[in-house]
Amino acid sequence: MHGLVRGTVGAVGLGLATTGYAALIERRHWTLRTATLPVLPEGRSSLRVLHISDLHMMPDQKSKQRWVAGLADLAPDLVVNTGDNLAHPKAVPGVLRALEPLLGLPGLFVFGSNDYYGPTPKNPAMYLRKKRNRTWVKGAKLPWRDLRAAMLERGWQDATHQRLIMDVAGQPVAVAGVDDPHIRRDHYDRISGPVTAPVALRLGLTHSPEPRVLDAFADDEYDLIMAGHTHGGQLRVPGYGALVTNCGLDRSRARGASRWGSHTWLHVSAGLGTSPYAPVRFACPPEASLLTLVPRPVKPAASHNGHGRAVSSAAADVR
């Protein structure tokens, strides 16, 4: 009996310690991830892209604001923000304090559901159901127009349902984006079609990485798609990974870079925030990502052996 009591007390203690770590330490453990992605044509110079997503800013989150502002020291060629910046009606000044040093750099953005509407309390168990009611409950309206106006005034471009060509470090980059698929605001038909201009990069942006949107970008042969929304799973089990993605994306792609089809790369940011109603992270620290984009590996032309048959010596795609 005493052993059972000790075991129960130990399990409860471990659970409390884990919860405390997830709520008090890891969710403030700001992390910079780096990755090198071969997405540019042969002969192009590399580009450095800073990916920021899911700030879910509250007015008093000074530590987060200071850390994000310090990312300007990385001097990226381009900053991409994939939405869910707000978590409170009075959070716009905090977001702008965080982004201020970055707004002087070339930048792009699309918004997510938590730019338009505030978070609402949810039962965490609902995310674990394989078949769950995906009806989305709107929270209070948020001042996204004020945030958008400030970003535009400083020179960032809104890629929402737009096809743009911009100069990034002297190289032409084609950009297209959709509004948040998580709340069915995406209308890919407004931007559909391949990019015909000669560019260094074809970049697609979306907040939620829903497969229907990723497939559409891939069909139009975009080189790179950037998204957020998943929080990397937010709670990850070591050796197993994300428990959920909160969208149609599979768990293995909940954060980081992966291939989507034969040509396109996908990068999903685990983001920098959480809902104020679920302020925990475990094995998934809040992050921004610095992506170095480089030319794709050159595939040598096929040679012929003595019998006249083609012999391919092309290197395998990097994965």
Side-chain angles (χ1 to χ4, degrees):
M1 186 65 177
H2 293 299
L4 178 60
V5 171
R6 285 196 298 271
T8 301
V9 171
V12 171
L14 179 61
L16 291 174
T18 300
T19 301
Y21 167 80
L24 300 176
I25 298 176
E26 184 163 325
R27 76 181 182 95
R28 295 185 178 91
H29 186 204
W30 320 117
T31 301
L32 179 68
R33 284 184 174 271
T34 60
T36 299
L37 302 183
V39 296
L40 303 181
E42 181 183 357
R44 290 287 185 176
S45 300
S46 63
L47 295 172
R48 286 160 34 101
V49 179
L50 178 65
H51 188 185
I52 295 173
S53 196
D54 297 87
L55 287 167
H56 292 283
M57 191 69 74
M58 297 288 285
D60 60 346
Q61 292 180 323
K62 307 298 185 185
S63 172
K64 183 191 298 184
Q65 294 165 22
R66 289 192 298 269
W67 189 84
V68 173
L71 294 172
D73 293 341
L74 299 170
D77 299 311
L78 177 67
V79 183
V80 173
N81 181 311
T82 49
D84 270 12
N85 295 279
L86 305 173
H88 190 280
K90 296 183 179 180
V92 170
V95 172
L96 294 178
R97 279 193 295 271
L99 297 180
E100 175 62 29
L102 296 165
L103 290 171
L105 301 171
L108 296 162
F109 64 92
V110 292
F111 282 157
S113 60
N114 284 142
D115 292 302
Y116 302 118
Y117 303 100
T120 57
K122 298 181 179 70
N123 178 0
M126 64 179 281
Y127 293 105
L128 300 176
R129 299 173 189 163
K130 290 185 178 180
K131 293 183 178 181
R132 63 183 177 88
N133 183 2
R134 291 188 177 269
T135 301
W136 182 66
V137 179
K138 294 180 180 179
K141 291 184 178 180
L142 295 177
W144 64 273
R145 291 180 179 84
D146 296 340
L147 180 60
R148 179 178 184 273
M151 290 177 168
L152 293 176
E153 183 179 5
R154 291 298 304 275
W156 279 16
Q157 298 193 58
D158 184 354
T160 306
H161 295 140
Q162 299 291 321
R163 287 170 63 109
L164 311 168
I165 294 184
M166 62 187 300
D167 181 281
V168 178
Q171 303 194 66
V173 173
V175 182
V178 294
D179 210 341
D180 190 3
H182 185 60
I183 51 175
R184 299 278 177 182
R185 291 177 67 117
D186 57 303
H187 298 284
Y188 191 86
D189 59 292
R190 299 183 188 178
I191 59 168
S192 63
V195 176
T196 56
V199 294
L201 175 70
R202 291 162 292 188
L203 176 62
L205 305 183
T206 178
H207 175 65
S208 178
E210 292 293 347
R212 68 176 185 276
V213 174
L214 305 182
D215 286 344
F217 276 122
D219 288 345
D220 284 336
E221 295 192 330
Y222 277 75
D223 303 302
L224 174 62
I225 308 168
M226 298 175 70
H229 177 71
T230 65
H231 296 192
Q234 193 164 320
L235 302 175
R236 298 174 68 93
V237 176
Y240 181 79
L243 299 177
V244 295
T245 63
N246 193 26
C247 64
L249 193 70
D250 56 281
R251 293 186 307 100
S252 67
R253 304 173 192 265
R255 71 177 181 190
S258 61
R259 298 298 296 267
W260 193 269
S262 61
H263 179 82
T264 304
W265 282 83
L266 168 67
H267 185 265
V268 179
S269 171
L272 282 155
T274 66
S275 165
Y277 298 106
V280 294
R281 279 181 177 259
F282 187 77
C284 189
E287 69 176 43
S289 300
L290 183 64
L291 308 179
T292 300
L293 311 185
V294 300
R296 298 176 185 271
V298 177
K299 294 183 178 181
S303 60
H304 289 78
N305 63 17
H307 301 285
R309 292 178 297 175
V311 180
S312 175
S313 57
D317 287 340
V318 177
R319 296 186 183 274

mmCIF file of all heavy atoms in Angstrom, residues 216-238:
data_model
loop_
_atom_site.group_PDB
_atom_site.id
_atom_site.type_symbol
_atom_site.label_atom_id
_atom_site.label_comp_id
_atom_site.label_asym_id
_atom_site.label_seq_id
_atom_site.Cartn_x
_atom_site.Cartn_y
_atom_site.Cartn_z
ATOM 1 N N ALA A 216 -1.989 22.917 -54.760
ATOM 2 C CA ALA A 216 -2.200 23.931 -55.800
ATOM 3 C C ALA A 216 -0.902 24.677 -56.101
ATOM 4 O O ALA A 216 -0.550 24.895 -57.272
ATOM 5 C CB ALA A 216 -3.298 24.905 -55.359
ATOM 6 N N PHE A 217 -0.175 25.074 -55.059
ATOM 7 C CA PHE A 217 1.119 25.732 -55.281
ATOM 8 C C PHE A 217 2.087 24.795 -56.009
ATOM 9 O O PHE A 217 2.803 25.207 -56.927
ATOM 10 C CB PHE A 217 1.733 26.163 -53.946
ATOM 11 C CG PHE A 217 1.243 27.484 -53.429
ATOM 12 C CD1 PHE A 217 0.641 27.582 -52.179
ATOM 13 C CD2 PHE A 217 1.404 28.643 -54.172
ATOM 14 C CE1 PHE A 217 0.205 28.805 -51.694
ATOM 15 C CE2 PHE A 217 0.969 29.878 -53.693
ATOM 16 C CZ PHE A 217 0.364 29.963 -52.444
ATOM 17 N N ALA A 218 2.117 23.528 -55.600
ATOM 18 C CA ALA A 218 3.027 22.566 -56.231
ATOM 19 C C ALA A 218 2.657 22.339 -57.698
ATOM 20 O O ALA A 218 3.541 22.218 -58.560
ATOM 21 C CB ALA A 218 3.014 21.254 -55.465
ATOM 22 N N ASP A 219 1.362 22.284 -58.004
ATOM 23 C CA ASP A 219 0.934 22.106 -59.394
ATOM 24 C C ASP A 219 1.394 23.273 -60.268
ATOM 25 O O ASP A 219 1.659 23.088 -61.462
ATOM 26 C CB ASP A 219 -0.587 21.965 -59.472
ATOM 27 C CG ASP A 219 -1.085 20.632 -58.949
ATOM 28 O OD1 ASP A 219 -0.262 19.701 -58.793
ATOM 29 O OD2 ASP A 219 -2.300 20.509 -58.684
ATOM 30 N N ASP A 220 1.484 24.460 -59.662
ATOM 31 C CA ASP A 220 1.967 25.631 -60.401
ATOM 32 C C ASP A 220 3.489 25.777 -60.312
ATOM 33 O O ASP A 220 4.048 26.805 -60.698
ATOM 34 C CB ASP A 220 1.290 26.901 -59.885
ATOM 35 C CG ASP A 220 -0.148 27.028 -60.384
ATOM 36 O OD1 ASP A 220 -0.462 26.443 -61.436
ATOM 37 O OD2 ASP A 220 -0.955 27.715 -59.721
ATOM 38 N N GLU A 221 4.143 24.741 -59.789
ATOM 39 C CA GLU A 221 5.604 24.626 -59.746
ATOM 40 C C GLU A 221 6.272 25.733 -58.933
ATOM 41 O O GLU A 221 7.338 26.251 -59.322
ATOM 42 C CB GLU A 221 6.192 24.548 -61.164
ATOM 43 C CG GLU A 221 5.765 23.287 -61.901
ATOM 44 C CD GLU A 221 6.559 23.063 -63.178
ATOM 45 O OE1 GLU A 221 6.994 24.054 -63.803
ATOM 46 O OE2 GLU A 221 6.760 21.893 -63.539
ATOM 47 N N TYR A 222 5.674 26.083 -57.802
ATOM 48 C CA TYR A 222 6.371 26.974 -56.879
ATOM 49 C C TYR A 222 7.546 26.230 -56.264
ATOM 50 O O TYR A 222 7.488 25.026 -56.020
ATOM 51 C CB TYR A 222 5.403 27.492 -55.817
ATOM 52 C CG TYR A 222 4.607 28.681 -56.308
ATOM 53 C CD1 TYR A 222 3.553 28.508 -57.210
ATOM 54 C CD2 TYR A 222 4.930 29.975 -55.929
ATOM 55 C CE1 TYR A 222 2.846 29.588 -57.712
ATOM 56 C CE2 TYR A 222 4.234 31.067 -56.414
ATOM 57 C CZ TYR A 222 3.188 30.874 -57.299
ATOM 58 O OH TYR A 222 2.509 31.952 -57.793
ATOM 59 N N ASP A 223 8.611 26.964 -56.014
ATOM 60 C CA ASP A 223 9.828 26.345 -55.492
ATOM 61 C C ASP A 223 9.745 26.108 -53.985
ATOM 62 O O ASP A 223 10.252 25.093 -53.481
ATOM 63 C CB ASP A 223 11.037 27.240 -55.780
ATOM 64 C CG ASP A 223 11.204 27.534 -57.258
ATOM 65 O OD1 ASP A 223 11.336 26.572 -58.027
ATOM 66 O OD2 ASP A 223 11.183 28.722 -57.630
ATOM 67 N N LEU A 224 9.123 27.032 -53.280
ATOM 68 C CA LEU A 224 9.082 26.984 -51.821
ATOM 69 C C LEU A 224 7.747 27.520 -51.338
ATOM 70 O O LEU A 224 7.272 28.556 -51.822
ATOM 71 C CB LEU A 224 10.224 27.832 -51.239
ATOM 72 C CG LEU A 224 10.268 28.029 -49.717
ATOM 73 C CD1 LEU A 224 10.447 26.702 -48.999
ATOM 74 C CD2 LEU A 224 11.389 28.997 -49.340
ATOM 75 N N ILE A 225 7.146 26.802 -50.385
ATOM 76 C CA ILE A 225 5.935 27.259 -49.711
ATOM 77 C C ILE A 225 6.281 27.457 -48.243
ATOM 78 O O ILE A 225 6.918 26.592 -47.626
ATOM 79 C CB ILE A 225 4.788 26.231 -49.828
ATOM 80 C CG1 ILE A 225 4.556 25.817 -51.280
ATOM 81 C CG2 ILE A 225 3.506 26.794 -49.218
ATOM 82 C CD1 ILE A 225 3.655 24.603 -51.424
ATOM 83 N N MET A 226 5.845 28.569 -47.670
ATOM 84 C CA MET A 226 6.107 28.851 -46.262
ATOM 85 C C MET A 226 4.780 28.994 -45.527
ATOM 86 O O MET A 226 3.848 29.633 -46.025
ATOM 87 C CB MET A 226 6.957 30.110 -46.116
ATOM 88 C CG MET A 226 8.314 29.950 -46.775
ATOM 89 S SD MET A 226 9.336 31.451 -46.775
ATOM 90 C CE MET A 226 9.733 31.585 -45.032
ATOM 91 N N ALA A 227 4.704 28.366 -44.331
ATOM 92 C CA ALA A 227 3.462 28.337 -43.565
ATOM 93 C C ALA A 227 3.773 28.320 -42.072
ATOM 94 O O ALA A 227 4.931 28.166 -41.652
ATOM 95 C CB ALA A 227 2.640 27.099 -43.948
ATOM 96 N N GLY A 228 2.740 28.475 -41.273
ATOM 97 C CA GLY A 228 2.858 28.393 -39.816
ATOM 98 C C GLY A 228 1.731 27.541 -39.265
ATOM 99 O O GLY A 228 1.511 26.412 -39.701
ATOM 100 N N HIS A 229 1.026 28.064 -38.267
ATOM 101 C CA HIS A 229 -0.225 27.511 -37.742
ATOM 102 C C HIS A 229 -0.080 26.302 -36.827
ATOM 103 O O HIS A 229 -0.763 26.203 -35.810
ATOM 104 C CB HIS A 229 -1.175 27.158 -38.902
ATOM 105 C CG HIS A 229 -2.461 26.525 -38.469
ATOM 106 N ND1 HIS A 229 -3.447 27.238 -37.810
ATOM 107 C CD2 HIS A 229 -2.920 25.249 -38.573
ATOM 108 C CE1 HIS A 229 -4.465 26.424 -37.547
ATOM 109 N NE2 HIS A 229 -4.163 25.210 -37.985
ATOM 110 N N THR A 230 0.778 25.364 -37.142
ATOM 111 C CA THR A 230 0.805 24.093 -36.415
ATOM 112 C C THR A 230 1.412 24.193 -35.019
ATOM 113 O O THR A 230 1.210 23.301 -34.199
ATOM 114 C CB THR A 230 1.627 23.046 -37.192
ATOM 115 O OG1 THR A 230 2.998 23.483 -37.236
ATOM 116 C CG2 THR A 230 1.110 22.872 -38.613
ATOM 117 N N HIS A 231 2.188 25.237 -34.765
ATOM 118 C CA HIS A 231 2.987 25.363 -33.534
ATOM 119 C C HIS A 231 3.945 24.179 -33.376
ATOM 120 O O HIS A 231 4.381 23.873 -32.258
ATOM 121 C CB HIS A 231 2.100 25.479 -32.291
ATOM 122 C CG HIS A 231 1.247 26.707 -32.269
ATOM 123 N ND1 HIS A 231 0.550 27.129 -31.151
ATOM 124 C CD2 HIS A 231 0.962 27.633 -33.225
ATOM 125 C CE1 HIS A 231 -0.119 28.230 -31.424
ATOM 126 N NE2 HIS A 231 0.118 28.555 -32.693
ATOM 127 N N GLY A 232 4.236 23.512 -34.480
ATOM 128 C CA GLY A 232 5.106 22.342 -34.420
ATOM 129 C C GLY A 232 4.503 21.173 -33.680
ATOM 130 O O GLY A 232 5.186 20.194 -33.371
ATOM 131 N N GLY A 233 3.198 21.255 -33.425
ATOM 132 C CA GLY A 233 2.516 20.289 -32.566
ATOM 133 C C GLY A 233 2.315 20.841 -31.162
ATOM 134 O O GLY A 233 1.454 20.388 -30.429
ATOM 135 N N GLN A 234 3.168 21.782 -30.781
ATOM 136 C CA GLN A 234 3.171 22.452 -29.474
ATOM 137 C C GLN A 234 3.573 21.527 -28.339
ATOM 138 O O GLN A 234 4.407 21.870 -27.508
ATOM 139 C CB GLN A 234 1.819 23.118 -29.173
ATOM 140 C CG GLN A 234 1.880 24.083 -27.998
ATOM 141 C CD GLN A 234 0.691 25.023 -27.929
ATOM 142 O OE1 GLN A 234 0.208 25.517 -28.930
ATOM 143 N NE2 GLN A 234 0.205 25.245 -26.730
ATOM 144 N N LEU A 235 2.997 20.347 -28.295
ATOM 145 C CA LEU A 235 3.409 19.304 -27.352
ATOM 146 C C LEU A 235 3.927 18.128 -28.172
ATOM 147 O O LEU A 235 3.177 17.507 -28.922
ATOM 148 C CB LEU A 235 2.238 18.858 -26.475
ATOM 149 C CG LEU A 235 1.564 19.945 -25.637
ATOM 150 C CD1 LEU A 235 0.352 19.376 -24.908
ATOM 151 C CD2 LEU A 235 2.534 20.561 -24.655
ATOM 152 N N ARG A 236 5.217 17.841 -28.047
ATOM 153 C CA ARG A 236 5.819 16.754 -28.805
ATOM 154 C C ARG A 236 6.353 15.688 -27.849
ATOM 155 O O ARG A 236 6.817 16.010 -26.748
ATOM 156 C CB ARG A 236 6.965 17.276 -29.679
ATOM 157 C CG ARG A 236 6.518 18.282 -30.724
ATOM 158 C CD ARG A 236 7.696 18.869 -31.472
ATOM 159 N NE ARG A 236 8.375 17.897 -32.316
ATOM 160 C CZ ARG A 236 8.117 17.679 -33.591
ATOM 161 N NH1 ARG A 236 7.163 18.382 -34.201
ATOM 162 N NH2 ARG A 236 8.797 16.791 -34.283
ATOM 163 N N VAL A 237 6.294 14.458 -28.270
ATOM 164 C CA VAL A 237 6.819 13.348 -27.484
ATOM 165 C C VAL A 237 8.177 12.968 -28.067
ATOM 166 O O VAL A 237 8.264 12.635 -29.259
ATOM 167 C CB VAL A 237 5.873 12.138 -27.522
ATOM 168 C CG1 VAL A 237 6.477 10.964 -26.771
ATOM 169 C CG2 VAL A 237 4.512 12.504 -26.942
ATOM 170 N N PRO A 238 9.243 13.032 -27.286
ATOM 171 C CA PRO A 238 10.560 12.649 -27.810
ATOM 172 C C PRO A 238 10.537 11.258 -28.421
ATOM 173 O O PRO A 238 10.019 10.310 -27.815
ATOM 174 C CB PRO A 238 11.456 12.708 -26.561
ATOM 175 C CG PRO A 238 10.801 13.732 -25.681
ATOM 176 C CD PRO A 238 9.320 13.536 -25.895
#
